[in-house]
Amino acid sequence: MIIADDIPAFSFGRYILISQYDYETNSEAIITHERSHISLGHFYDLMLMELAKIIFWFNPLIYRLARDLKEIHEFQADHNTLHSGIDATQYQLLIIQKCVGHQKFALANSFNHCQIKNRITMMNKQKTSKAWRWKVATFLPLLALLLMAFGRTGENAPPEQILLSPEVFSNSTDSVKQWTEKDFNILKPKERESLVLGDEKFLEISMDAQSHITIGNDELMLSGVPAIIRKWRDYDLADDKSIFEKISVNGNEKMASVSKIVIRGDDVPYSLFKELANRIGNTVLEIRGKYSKNIFKVSYSNLPDTQRDEIDKLIPLNVYLGQINVTEVKPPPAQRR
């Protein structure tokens, strides 16, 4: 089932729900993954686990067991997907790209189930021996008996946070916002002339109707955009130091980016533009959060207005919309089988 809205792809029963954008860009890997969930009967595992949670709601271990069951489901689906011929590196990058900001559904096996580190580690492991599988199979019924015999009332165990390195992405609240075209500047004719004549440093990001993203002559995936933005906004990571100039922040000299980022495109799907805008804007917020903690020892969102203005000057957004035409993509009519 193809949905016009930007939703995480997931399977429910024998149905797969996928957004129009994912269907056009990553349908092979995502649909193969979700079909694995369906063929392995994972939906019925989740239904049985929900029934167990109703009966043993007072036992904190049942919530850990439910989380682990979903993780095992993802390991199995990942295994089947890779053995169907999907490129492992691109598939792992797709998982990282998709595991940001989407809600999860209790009775659905979602492609965006975000135990990233464990899933990628499991993909790179050797196959488990049959003898060890029999040991695990023997242990599971024993674990179920222990849950029934020694369950005690108590509060639900809080879910653990997924710990990812800053190089992948920041999970700080400073780097989470929904961005739209209203957050960016429109490139004026005089500014366009100065860019063309080379008076100013700028980074041009182009999109097209086929959802291709290019910077210069290089085509890249959405997941590669944050790394590019960091090089143009974070002096510590910059390749070209000439696009930065000295300013005073909290009484100390710091290097601020003076470059512009220009987004251009024709007949661009709105879902692609929205995702690109979020990647750029939230990466800038992430860098602001980094420098806020380094300079003021406080997160960016908790800074007073005067100090926040200083960080904004140090890490400016400076994103401009050039010649860009955004279109709304409508899903094809549903087909019956």
Side-chain angles (χ1 to χ4, degrees):
M1 300 177 69
I2 302 173
I3 309 298
D5 295 332
D6 183 17
I7 65 165
F10 64 91
S11 58
F12 185 87
R14 62 188 183 89
Y15 295 98
I16 297 173
L17 283 80
I18 186 172
S19 69
Q20 177 73 26
Y21 175 71
D22 283 339
Y23 184 77
E24 293 176 349
T25 57
N26 302 299
S27 61
E28 182 181 6
I30 294 177
I31 292 176
T32 301
H33 178 97
E34 297 305 330
R35 279 178 176 165
S36 297
H37 284 304
I38 294 173
S39 63
L40 293 169
H42 289 165
F43 174 75
Y44 303 104
D45 288 351
L46 295 180
M47 290 288 288
L48 183 61
M49 180 54 66
E50 289 300 310
L51 178 61
K53 285 165 68 176
I54 292 172
I55 299 172
F56 299 106
W57 59 268
F58 51 84
N59 192 329
L61 291 179
I62 197 69
Y63 300 94
R64 175 62 183 265
L65 190 61
R67 189 180 68 232
D68 288 349
L69 176 65
K70 276 200 170 187
E71 191 172 24
I72 292 171
H73 285 173
E74 297 307 316
F75 293 159
Q76 293 175 330
D78 290 339
H79 174 82
N80 286 2
T81 303
L82 294 180
H83 278 71
S84 71
I86 301 295
D87 180 75
T89 301
Q90 294 301 319
Y91 183 69
Q92 292 171 4
L93 288 173
L94 178 61
I95 291 174
I96 295 173
Q97 172 188 338
K98 288 297 177 183
C99 286
V100 183
H102 281 306
Q103 67 185 53
K104 303 177 194 135
F105 304 94
L107 291 178
N109 287 108
S110 172
F111 182 83
N112 295 33
H113 185 74
C114 291
Q115 296 286 350
I116 298 179
K117 180 179 178 182
N118 292 345
R119 287 175 67 179
I120 293 178
T121 300
M122 187 60 69
M123 287 183 214
N124 297 322
K125 276 188 176 180
Q126 297 295 325
K127 248 186 171 180
T128 307
S129 67
K130 290 185 178 180
W132 178 249
R133 290 182 185 176
W134 279 110
K135 292 178 183 178
V136 174
T138 306
F139 173 76
L140 288 177
L142 178 60
L143 177 61
L145 290 174
L146 290 173
L147 284 173
M148 297 174 64
F150 299 103
R152 294 185 300 172
T153 59
E155 296 181 357
N156 295 352
E160 294 178 1
Q161 292 184 342
I162 301 167
L163 301 179
L164 294 174
S165 63
E167 289 74 18
V168 178
F169 64 86
S170 171
N171 61 358
S172 167
T173 55
D174 283 341
S175 59
V176 176
K177 176 184 172 180
Q178 291 299 316
W179 295 77
T180 67
E181 58 272 21
K182 295 179 181 178
D183 295 309
F184 306 129
N185 300 314
I186 303 298
L187 195 64
K188 298 176 182 178
K190 288 185 178 180
E191 292 172 324
R192 190 177 295 117
E193 285 179 18
S194 66
L195 291 177
V196 172
L197 295 173
D199 293 341
E200 296 186 49
K201 296 281 187 177
F202 74 102
L203 172 70
E204 183 176 85
I205 302 177
S206 302
M207 299 178 289
D208 60 22
Q210 286 73 44
S211 299
H212 296 145
I213 300 175
T214 56
I215 295 180
N217 296 322
D218 299 324
E219 185 173 334
L220 73 161
M221 296 175 60
L222 274 168
S223 58
V225 171
I228 301 294
I229 301 303
R230 291 186 187 104
K231 291 183 179 180
W232 281 74
R233 287 292 176 263
D234 190 340
Y235 183 77
D236 295 339
L237 304 177
D239 293 331
D240 183 4
K241 305 294 187 181
S242 68
I243 61 175
F244 293 82
E245 63 180 20
K246 290 181 180 180
I247 67 169
S248 178
V249 179
N250 198 31
N252 297 313
E253 281 192 347
K254 298 291 182 181
M255 301 300 291
S257 174
V258 294
S259 61
K260 287 184 172 68
I261 297 172
V262 180
I263 303 177
R264 309 170 72 98
D266 189 31
D267 293 330
V268 178
Y270 182 71
S271 58
L272 174 64
F273 170 78
K274 184 173 68 171
E275 183 67 20
L276 178 64
N278 282 327
R279 297 271 176 163
I280 295 173
N282 287 334
T283 302
V284 171
L285 284 182
E286 172 194 310
I287 301 169
R288 288 176 177 175
K290 167 188 169 181
Y291 281 87
S292 297
K293 290 176 182 176
N294 288 343
I295 298 172
F296 296 108
K297 311 304 179 185
V298 178
S299 65
Y300 177 76
S301 57
N302 292 327
L303 286 176
D305 291 342
T306 53
Q307 293 180 348
R308 187 176 297 184
D309 289 342
E310 288 191 81
I311 293 297
D312 290 351
K313 291 177 182 178
L314 178 64
I315 313 294
L317 185 61
N318 274 1
V319 175
Y320 292 78
L321 301 182
Q323 296 176 347
I324 184 167
N325 177 25
V326 177
T327 61
E328 191 68 49
V329 177
K330 294 182 179 180
Q335 297 181 356
R336 296 191 176 210
R337 293 189 177 180

Short mmCIF file of all heavy atoms in Angstrom, two decimals, residues 4 74 83-84 104-105 165 170 270:
data_model
loop_
_atom_site.label_atom_id
_atom_site.label_comp_id
_atom_site.label_asym_id
_atom_site.label_seq_id
_atom_site.Cartn_x
_atom_site.Cartn_y
_atom_site.Cartn_z
N ALA A 4 0.83 8.63 0.46
CA ALA A 4 1.40 9.91 0.03
C ALA A 4 2.20 10.58 1.14
O ALA A 4 3.19 11.26 0.89
CB ALA A 4 0.27 10.85 -0.44
N GLU A 74 14.27 -8.18 13.49
CA GLU A 74 15.04 -7.36 12.55
C GLU A 74 16.30 -8.09 12.09
O GLU A 74 16.68 -8.00 10.93
CB GLU A 74 15.42 -6.02 13.20
CG GLU A 74 14.24 -5.14 13.57
CD GLU A 74 13.31 -4.93 12.39
OE1 GLU A 74 13.78 -4.67 11.29
OE2 GLU A 74 12.08 -5.05 12.60
N HIS A 83 20.71 -11.78 1.84
CA HIS A 83 20.88 -13.00 1.05
C HIS A 83 20.04 -12.99 -0.22
O HIS A 83 20.13 -13.90 -1.04
CB HIS A 83 20.53 -14.23 1.90
CG HIS A 83 21.66 -14.68 2.78
ND1 HIS A 83 22.05 -13.95 3.89
CD2 HIS A 83 22.52 -15.74 2.71
CE1 HIS A 83 23.09 -14.56 4.48
NE2 HIS A 83 23.39 -15.63 3.78
N SER A 84 19.20 -11.96 -0.39
CA SER A 84 18.42 -11.83 -1.63
C SER A 84 19.21 -11.10 -2.70
O SER A 84 18.73 -10.95 -3.82
CB SER A 84 17.11 -11.10 -1.35
OG SER A 84 17.35 -9.73 -1.07
N LYS A 104 7.18 4.43 16.20
CA LYS A 104 7.08 3.01 15.97
C LYS A 104 5.69 2.54 16.38
O LYS A 104 5.05 3.14 17.24
CB LYS A 104 8.15 2.25 16.75
CG LYS A 104 9.55 2.69 16.43
CD LYS A 104 10.53 1.94 17.30
CE LYS A 104 11.88 2.64 17.21
NZ LYS A 104 12.52 2.78 18.48
N PHE A 105 5.21 1.43 15.78
CA PHE A 105 3.90 0.89 16.07
C PHE A 105 4.08 -0.46 16.76
O PHE A 105 4.81 -1.31 16.29
CB PHE A 105 3.09 0.74 14.78
CG PHE A 105 2.96 2.03 14.02
CD1 PHE A 105 3.86 2.34 13.01
CD2 PHE A 105 1.98 2.94 14.33
CE1 PHE A 105 3.77 3.53 12.30
CE2 PHE A 105 1.87 4.12 13.63
CZ PHE A 105 2.76 4.42 12.61
N SER A 165 27.36 7.25 17.90
CA SER A 165 28.47 8.20 17.92
C SER A 165 28.08 9.48 17.22
O SER A 165 27.24 9.47 16.31
CB SER A 165 29.68 7.59 17.21
OG SER A 165 29.38 7.35 15.85
N SER A 170 23.57 13.33 15.64
CA SER A 170 23.37 13.74 17.03
C SER A 170 21.92 13.54 17.41
O SER A 170 21.02 13.89 16.67
CB SER A 170 23.74 15.23 17.20
OG SER A 170 23.35 15.67 18.48
N TYR A 270 8.08 17.18 -3.34
CA TYR A 270 8.08 17.94 -2.09
C TYR A 270 8.68 17.12 -0.94
O TYR A 270 9.34 17.66 -0.07
CB TYR A 270 6.67 18.38 -1.72
CG TYR A 270 6.63 19.22 -0.47
CD1 TYR A 270 7.13 20.52 -0.46
CD2 TYR A 270 6.14 18.71 0.73
CE1 TYR A 270 7.13 21.29 0.69
CE2 TYR A 270 6.13 19.46 1.88
CZ TYR A 270 6.62 20.75 1.86
OH TYR A 270 6.63 21.51 3.01
#
